[in-house]
Amino acid sequence: MAIKGASCIACPMDPVLRAVTGRWTTTILWHLSTESPLRFGELMGLMPEISAKVLTDRLRMLEKNGLVLRTQKPTIPPEVSYEMTEHGRDLHQALRALHEVALKWDAEGWVPGQGFPDTPVTQAAE
C-alpha cells in the first residue's frame, strides 16, 4: 500500500548507504572504527591489495562526507593520521552488526551472487 505523498526516493538510508559503500570504503571504515587513529601507511598495510590512489580517493570522499577526520601534524615529513569523526562513529554499531552477519553467512557457505549452498533454486512456473 502506497503512502500518500511519499516518493520512492524518500528513503533516508539511500544517501547514507551510497556514502559508506563501494569498493574498499566499508573496509576503511571498519579499520578506522576499530583501530583508529591510523596513519596512511598503516591503512595500506591492513589492506595490501588497495592502491595508494584508491585509498587516497576513498579517504578524501569519506572526509568530504564528514565521516573521517584527517589530522596533519606540522613535522618534517608531515605526520598524517585518520580517524572517525563523531558522525563516523555513529556507524560503529551498524558496521559491527554487518560484520557479525558477514561472519555468520561465511560460515554457512554463502557466496555473493550464488546464495547459500542449502537454498533451493526457485524454478519458474511453466
Side-chain angles (χ1 to χ4, degrees), residues 14-121:
D14 284 346
V16 172
L17 289 173
R18 280 190 218 110
V20 300
T21 58
R23 185 80 171 124
W24 297 110
T25 308
T26 49
T27 306
I28 293 166
L29 288 170
W30 176 253
H31 286 303
L32 292 177
S33 175
T34 58
E35 305 171 49
S36 171
L38 291 170
R39 295 182 67 182
F40 188 87
E42 292 172 318
L43 278 166
M44 287 286 296
L46 293 168
M47 301 176 290
E49 301 87 12
I50 194 171
S51 71
K53 179 191 180 324
V54 171
L55 179 56
T56 298
D57 290 346
R58 296 304 182 270
L59 287 167
R60 284 181 181 158
M61 184 263 308
L62 290 167
E63 185 181 6
K64 183 178 177 182
N65 280 310
L67 303 176
V68 168
L69 176 66
R70 179 183 187 270
T71 304
Q72 181 173 333
K73 293 182 181 175
T75 59
I76 299 175
E79 184 179 317
V80 178
S81 63
Y82 298 89
E83 61 187 301
M84 300 290 268
T85 63
E86 182 179 339
H87 290 101
R89 287 189 297 273
D90 289 342
L91 296 168
H92 183 73
Q93 291 297 50
L95 291 168
R96 192 171 251 358
L98 284 171
H99 183 255
E100 293 299 319
V101 168
L103 293 175
K104 179 180 182 285
W105 287 10
D106 185 58
E108 294 173 1
W110 181 74
V111 177
Q114 297 176 17
F116 296 93
D118 58 350
T119 304
V121 177

